[in-house]
Amino acid sequence: MNYTRRAFLRQAALLLASIGVSQTTMAAAAHRYSQSLAKPTARKLALLVGIDQYPGNVCDGTSSSSRKSLLSGCVTDVRLQRELLIHRFGFNPDDVVTLVNEDATRQAIEESFLTHLVGQARSGDVVVFHFSGLGSKVRVIDPDDPDGEPRMSTSLVPVDGVLPTDDQPFLNDVTADSLSLLVRSLQTDQVITFLDTSYGAPQQWLDGYVRLRSRTTIPQGRLHPDELELQKQLLQKIRGSRESLKTSPVPGLLLRATDLSHGAVECLWDGFSAGLFTYALTQQLWWLDSEATSLSAGISLAGARAERVIGEPYQPVLSGTKSDKLAIKSHRFQPSQPMSADGAVTGQNNDIASAQVFLGGLPALVLANYGTTSVFQLVQPNNLHRALSETPPVTMPLADAGEQSADPVEPTQVEAPPVEPTQVEAPPVDSATSGSATSDKPILGAFLNRSTQLCFVQLRSHNGIYGQVRPINSQPTGIPIEVGQFVLEHIRVLSKNISLTVGLDAQLERIERVDATSAFSSISDLSTVVAGEQFSDVLFGKSSPPSSESEAMDDAPADSAESQPESRPTDNKGYGLFYLSRVPLPNMFDKGDEAVKTAVQRLEPKFRNLLAAKLLRLTDNQGSSQLGVRATLEMLVPQERILMQQTTFRAPWNPPESRLAQLLVNDGKVPSLATGSKIRYRVQNYGDRPVYCVVLGIDSDGNVFAVYPPTKASKGTNHGSAADESMILPGEMLTLPSSNTSAEWTVNGPGGLAETYVICSRAPLTRTAEEVSKATRPMGNFRQMSMLSDSLDPADVMHAMLADVSEASRREASEKFDLASDSYALHMASYASLSFIYRVVP
């Protein structure tokens, strides 16, 4: 052991001795994160680690790089987390330490943890540790019994985590024991340990175009002497034992991207790669406000959105001392700022009139298709709540969200902003925007709609998660762009020519790729790319015999607490479509052999379904919408139960108290519905004007459907106007299917994820209703669910819906923006799209 390492260990020992934290002290701490994050006196510390550039001898024991180990999204994960913690959670930039690529050695990770986190954190402080990179299963040889059976463990792989050799027989990973001891050495239990890594996965994922964050072999060796010495010191100072590490949970929250049976992956989007789970969760946390969904609900949505990309269960695992059901129910991972956002201003260009903005609060698919003339509002977060509190209240009466004949609630007090904008000093580029959370949600409507007093900017270009913006020319001059301002989506611009992007599998032979390219060229609204080199929505390839799972999975110990991989069909033949992980999409293969062109022609209706699903997902704006709407998914049979509830986060009114919400217990998992279950949606309007509603979705078999309310027959016609019947007055609620009809919504289809979007608009969805009516068979006074793909092009329905919302948006926006007529312009004050994702279980 060299002198530097000895000195470090001596310093660490003195440091830990001065701390003297017992297990009893850690177990007794029970403060919620929402309370600690809101305390301005609590310090907030973070250590973020991301490694993309691993040398080959970390994975395969050679000096050459292994294709299977190449990562490209881990440094992006660090950027995502850093911007989130600084701008939304009030971390000071100086208190956020990052280690990326060659700097993320084992020694650097452990030293930074001890000096930056353990050495500074005190009781009640907030600590975040994040790791994105390779994980591994390892066989650890006991130094006291080198001839005994090696002990199986897991580890985080640092950049210098080389595999043991005859010359260097030691493992150089950060083992699970070391990480556990480091976390237990903290004086605070307000800890979040976030691991976007995995420890082995099905072999088929290695052939996909998402990148697996796991070693695919299991190294065996002894721990490095320095690592053993560190563990010894830590065990002594926390007065624990190795046995206690196996039986007692770690302090705070331990959040893993997946369970031990599945693989954590990263995905290539348009211009950037990122961990599927890290991006989905950080995006959800940008949208959450101080009164919104709990951390567990955000985890559930993030896992579901990751799963729909790869086609395999992607269930995050939440454990630790604060992860029991009661703690999850009451736990709120609250931002320090009282309002949600879609990003922040991160830098000013030499030209003072332009700036760099971070846009990681937008869903990844939306960002990948974002139009460069989209419009944002810039808001000073530190000043917003004080500005709103200085103005007289406005009253808006609302109804409860419980039964349709719900008892009225007290009027909600709404405050209007002052006429003059409040001038504040801009924070420096490297300073944090901080503030204390409040139990009262700020009322933003009038403030956000004061176009003459706010800084509106237009997106001129974007590269990955960052963009360049300039002020709108028509707005008053002298309104500054300042680093630290929140970026709020105002108008989302989408091309009318969005296509489905199909990646051609590299496993296809050259003649097969030529035939596929030729066949695809005749299909409208579809483009092809080389899979893995550019972003694609799906893969086209040839099925192969099911492969055995990797050695990492074969040797994995059974774990009853973790879900096991689902079995996949093995009778796929010929050509078909795959998820990006190369997991087959359902019902995309033919039983017999067929030519490439024949397969493409057979799949053409499937492409229209997939394009419709993509267009529908591009409307998702729960965090950005300014409509006051709430939707609740209820199961009626086999038992009455509230499954999910979604509310817009940025509405200008506080949502009323809901008895239904009190019945909802979210455990962080994707809700499951057995086939044959009966469900319904309740949609409530707590805004000040009528809204019009339609439900659009994709079932677990990939088919697109629409649901409108029942219509009353008009005189001289066979049926009434579905668009008119879908109107919800302020304070009222619509039930789909209607409770006063015999209609029932029964869940059918194979196992898999299903998605439903509740779309609400300020204006009637006339075109949408007309398109849907082509596939709808009226039954008395009830207009039943329409399976769109059975009788018309489902993409046409989505384009009709986008046209309806765009027309309403252009009427709503009084500002003079440079919006091209060949694009859809979706105004956040004109519509809301609330997403529900659940699993169908056969």
Side-chain angles (χ1 to χ4, degrees):
M1 184 166 55
N2 59 45
Y3 174 79
T4 302
R5 188 63 175 168
R6 290 178 187 272
F8 162 67
L9 290 173
R10 283 199 299 270
Q11 292 175 356
L14 290 173
L15 176 63
L16 291 169
S18 67
I19 294 174
V21 180
S22 67
Q23 288 179 309
T24 303
T25 302
M26 289 188 287
H31 295 295
R32 296 182 301 168
Y33 281 101
S34 58
Q35 294 171 327
S36 64
L37 283 169
K39 291 196 314 184
T41 56
R43 193 171 185 184
K44 303 173 184 180
L45 303 165
L47 174 60
L48 313 177
V49 181
I51 309 171
D52 290 330
Q53 299 173 7
Y54 281 99
N57 58 357
V58 168
C59 298
D60 61 8
T62 69
S63 58
S64 62
S65 295
S66 168
R67 184 186 69 82
K68 297 176 182 178
S69 70
L70 294 179
L71 300 177
S72 59
C74 299
V75 175
T76 303
D77 288 0
V78 168
R79 296 191 185 113
L80 289 166
Q81 288 280 26
R82 187 176 187 275
E83 302 289 6
L84 174 78
L85 295 177
I86 291 172
H87 295 288
R88 288 292 284 127
F89 288 87
F91 282 62
N92 189 303
D94 292 338
D95 290 331
V96 181
V97 171
T98 61
L99 295 173
V100 298
N101 291 331
E102 67 271 10
D103 294 329
T105 63
R106 177 180 61 82
Q107 180 173 336
I109 294 170
E110 293 171 352
E111 286 183 356
S112 296
F113 201 111
L114 280 172
T115 56
H116 181 61
L117 302 181
V118 177
Q120 298 189 84
R122 297 296 177 261
S123 179
D125 289 350
V126 178
V127 170
V128 173
F129 174 73
H130 176 100
F131 180 87
S132 285
L134 294 176
S136 181
K137 282 188 173 73
V138 292
R139 297 187 184 94
V140 180
I141 298 174
D142 187 347
D144 297 328
D145 185 16
D147 296 327
E149 186 70 21
R151 173 174 57 88
M152 185 70 74
S153 180
T154 60
S155 67
L156 308 180
V157 182
V159 72
D160 60 345
V162 296
L163 297 177
T165 63
D166 291 339
D167 296 331
Q168 196 282 105
F170 302 112
L171 294 166
N172 202 44
D173 293 359
V174 179
T175 63
D177 285 350
S178 295
L179 180 60
S180 177
L181 287 167
L182 287 167
V183 174
R184 293 170 195 271
S185 301
L186 293 161
Q187 285 198 61
T188 178
D189 68 343
Q190 305 297 302
V191 188
I192 296 180
T193 305
F194 192 119
L195 307 179
D196 198 342
T197 187
S198 56
Y199 315 100
Q203 181 72 28
Q204 61 184 351
W205 284 28
L206 304 178
D207 300 323
Y209 295 94
V210 293
R211 296 183 176 182
L212 179 66
R213 290 184 171 179
S214 175
R215 271 197 189 120
T216 56
T217 58
I218 303 178
Q220 177 173 303
R222 291 181 289 166
L223 293 183
H224 195 283
D226 292 353
E227 189 80 356
L228 287 171
E229 181 65 20
L230 178 63
Q231 290 186 6
K232 179 181 177 181
Q233 295 282 357
L234 293 172
L235 280 168
Q236 289 175 353
K237 300 313 173 184
I238 68 170
R239 302 171 190 175
S241 64
R242 293 193 181 275
E243 288 70 26
S244 65
L245 300 182
K246 302 175 183 178
T247 58
S248 60
V250 297
L253 289 175
L254 171 59
L255 180 56
R256 290 181 286 162
T258 64
D259 59 37
L260 296 179
S261 301
H262 296 93
V265 297
E266 59 183 42
C267 183
L268 173 65
W269 300 98
D270 184 25
F272 70 98
S273 293
L276 276 181
F277 185 64
T278 294
Y279 192 101
L281 183 59
T282 54
Q283 183 263 309
Q284 285 291 310
L285 293 176
W286 272 97
W287 276 4
L288 296 184
D289 65 13
S290 58
E291 294 291 319
T293 314
S294 67
L295 175 62
S296 59
I299 293 170
S300 172
L301 283 172
R305 291 179 179 184
E307 182 174 335
R308 75 184 183 191
V309 173
I310 61 173
E312 286 279 357
Y314 207 87
Q315 180 57 57
V317 178
L318 189 64
S319 60
T321 58
K322 292 186 172 294
S323 63
D324 59 76
K325 291 185 179 180
L326 183 60
I328 288 176
K329 184 177 180 180
S330 61
H331 180 280
R332 298 286 181 91
F333 186 65
Q334 280 191 345
S336 60
Q337 300 295 345
M339 62 179 292
S340 66
D342 302 296
V345 178
T346 57
Q348 288 179 296
N349 300 329
N350 293 331
D351 176 4
I352 194 65
S354 63
Q356 175 181 275
V357 293
F358 171 79
L359 300 175
L362 295 171
L365 183 64
V366 171
L367 185 56
N369 291 272
Y370 220 58
T372 53
T373 56
S374 297
V375 179
F376 300 95
Q377 297 170 339
L378 302 185
V379 178
Q380 184 62 255
N382 285 340
N383 225 36
L384 177 63
H385 198 62
R386 180 169 63 83
L388 294 174
S389 65
E390 296 172 350
T391 56
V394 178
T395 301
M396 177 65 201
L398 297 170
D400 188 13
E403 299 298 324
Q404 279 189 293
S405 58
D407 298 331
V409 297
E410 292 299 319
T412 303
Q413 297 299 316
V414 182
E415 297 179 344
V419 175
E420 295 298 326
T422 307
Q423 298 298 323
V424 296
E425 182 179 356
V429 173
D430 60 350
S431 67
T433 55
S434 60
S436 59
T438 173
S439 60
D440 296 324
K441 177 181 177 180
I443 307 305
L444 309 178
F447 184 81
L448 296 182
N449 290 327
R450 274 186 309 132
S451 60
T452 59
Q453 301 300 333
L454 285 177
C455 184
F456 283 87
V457 295
Q458 199 156 27
L459 187 67
R460 293 305 182 186
S461 65
H462 70 95
N463 182 14
I465 56 178
Y466 292 94
Q468 297 293 325
V469 298
R470 294 182 65 87
I472 301 296
N473 293 331
S474 60
Q475 71 178 5
T477 60
I479 300 176
I481 298 177
E482 301 170 341
V483 172
Q485 287 174 326
F486 277 168
V487 172
L488 275 62
E489 190 178 22
H490 190 63
I491 297 178
R492 178 181 302 177
V493 174
L494 301 173
S495 170
K496 290 184 178 180
N497 299 315
I498 289 175
S499 62
L500 183 74
T501 304
V502 178
L504 299 182
D505 194 344
Q507 295 184 16
L508 294 173
E509 296 182 2
R510 181 178 179 277
I511 185 62
E512 292 174 312
R513 291 197 299 272
V514 170
D515 287 346
T517 302
S518 174
F520 282 126
S521 65
S522 63
I523 300 177
S524 62
D525 302 323
L526 188 147
S527 60
T528 58
V529 298
V530 177
E533 295 183 4
Q534 294 174 269
F535 167 76
S536 59
D537 298 300
V538 293
L539 298 178
F540 175 80
K542 190 173 185 178
S543 63
S544 56
S547 58
S548 60
E549 296 185 343
S550 67
E551 179 186 1
M553 289 300 298
D554 291 337
D555 292 336
D559 188 344
S560 60
E562 309 277 2
S563 61
Q564 298 300 314
E566 292 184 358
S567 60
R568 307 295 300 185
T570 59
D571 59 350
N572 294 322
K573 295 181 179 180
Y575 302 96
L577 299 178
F578 299 84
Y579 292 97
L580 299 184
S581 60
R582 220 175 180 281
V583 170
L585 270 75
N587 300 323
M588 295 293 179
F589 290 83
D590 189 68
K591 296 291 184 182
D593 296 329
E594 59 183 344
V596 171
K597 291 185 177 181
T598 303
V600 172
Q601 293 171 354
R602 173 178 56 82
L603 291 170
E604 188 166 356
K606 305 290 187 181
F607 294 136
R608 304 307 295 176
N609 270 347
L610 291 169
L611 177 59
K614 178 177 181 177
L615 294 172
L616 183 54
R617 290 163 182 161
L618 289 175
T619 65
D620 187 6
N621 74 336
Q622 180 183 10
S624 304
S625 175
Q626 295 176 34
L627 286 192
V629 294
R630 169 191 283 158
T632 305
L633 171 58
E634 307 174 38
M635 179 169 63
L636 304 177
V637 175
Q639 65 181 39
E640 293 189 10
R641 180 184 168 195
I642 307 302
L643 295 175
M644 299 177 69
Q645 187 172 83
Q646 307 286 26
T647 305
T648 51
F649 295 151
R650 210 170 290 163
W653 312 273
N654 283 322
E657 293 295 326
S658 170
R659 291 194 296 269
L660 294 180
Q662 297 172 3
L663 301 175
L664 175 65
V665 178
N666 194 305
D667 58 3
K669 298 181 180 180
V670 178
S672 295
L673 283 168
T675 54
S677 300
K678 300 186 186 304
I679 62 174
R680 70 180 177 190
Y681 284 87
R682 293 176 184 265
V683 187
Q684 183 186 18
N685 176 13
Y686 62 90
D688 64 346
R689 284 187 285 171
V691 298
Y692 299 82
C693 176
V694 64
V695 172
L696 301 169
I698 308 105
D699 67 14
S700 60
D701 208 19
N703 298 312
V704 182
F705 63 84
V707 179
Y708 259 114
T711 57
K712 298 177 181 178
S714 302
K715 187 175 181 180
T717 63
N718 293 328
H719 58 80
S721 170
D724 292 339
E725 294 295 334
S726 72
M727 183 176 69
I728 313 174
L729 295 174
E732 293 190 355
M733 184 164 47
L734 178 69
T735 302
L736 293 171
S738 176
S739 58
N740 59 8
T741 70
S742 59
E744 292 183 334
W745 184 336
T746 303
V747 176
N748 295 311
L753 285 187
E755 297 178 64
T756 304
Y757 288 77
V758 177
I759 310 289
C760 295
S761 171
R762 290 284 199 194
L765 298 164
T766 307
R767 296 180 181 85
T768 314
E770 290 175 353
E771 284 294 324
V772 172
S773 67
K774 298 175 183 178
T776 302
R777 297 183 300 276
M779 297 177 62
N781 71 336
F782 172 64
R783 189 175 293 272
Q784 69 177 9
M785 179 190 296
S786 303
M787 301 306 294
L788 303 181
S789 55
D790 289 345
S791 51
L792 77 159
D793 187 342
D796 289 345
V797 176
M798 300 309 162
H799 279 294
M801 178 268 295
L802 288 167
D804 281 335
V805 174
S806 183
E807 181 177 327
S809 297
R810 292 178 186 272
R811 291 200 303 264
E812 184 79 23
S814 59
E815 301 85 7
K816 302 299 182 181
F817 299 128
D818 180 19
L819 301 173
S821 60
D822 60 349
S823 300
Y824 295 123
L826 311 183
H827 194 291
M828 295 303 113
S830 300
Y831 90 105
S833 177
L834 304 180
S835 168
F836 292 80
I837 304 177
Y838 55 88
R839 179 174 289 108
V840 176
V841 181

